[in-house]
Amino acid sequence: MSYIGKEPVAGIFEKQLLSADSSTTSFALNHTVGSESSLLVSVGGVVQEPGVAYNLSGGGSNIVFTAAPTNGDRVYVHFLGVAQ
């Protein structure tokens, strides 16, 4: 799949795959982020709305879903920025 839009000036966007089990709502992130809008989250191919479908806890080191992702759903977190 090609990239649409201007290429990133520096670095790359990191991606993390989460293991959904239909009961877990909180997951540790590989990077600490400053806000929900610093993430692009996809559950089963559907982009999730920040602050509605998920929030952050632990100072931005954990993502907490309002409803547990279903077992078998592919859950991806793309980091658009990380806390410095």
Side-chain angles (χ1 to χ4, degrees):
M1 179 184 287
S2 62
Y3 180 80
I4 298 175
K6 185 177 178 182
E7 291 289 330
V9 176
I12 59 171
F13 295 123
E14 295 286 329
K15 178 175 76 173
Q16 179 179 351
L17 175 64
L18 303 177
S19 298
D21 63 5
S22 298
S23 64
T24 303
T25 57
S26 182
F27 299 88
L29 295 172
N30 290 343
H31 304 283
T32 300
V33 295
S35 72
E36 288 91 358
S37 60
S38 296
L39 301 173
L40 179 61
V41 179
S42 171
V43 176
V46 178
V47 175
Q48 303 298 300
E49 185 175 354
V52 175
Y54 64 90
N55 292 291
L56 297 176
S57 70
S61 61
N62 294 307
I63 185 170
V64 181
F65 290 93
T66 54
T70 304
N71 187 27
D73 278 350
R74 294 185 62 81
V75 182
Y76 285 101
V77 176
H78 292 266
F79 296 89
L80 304 177
V82 296
Q84 298 292 319

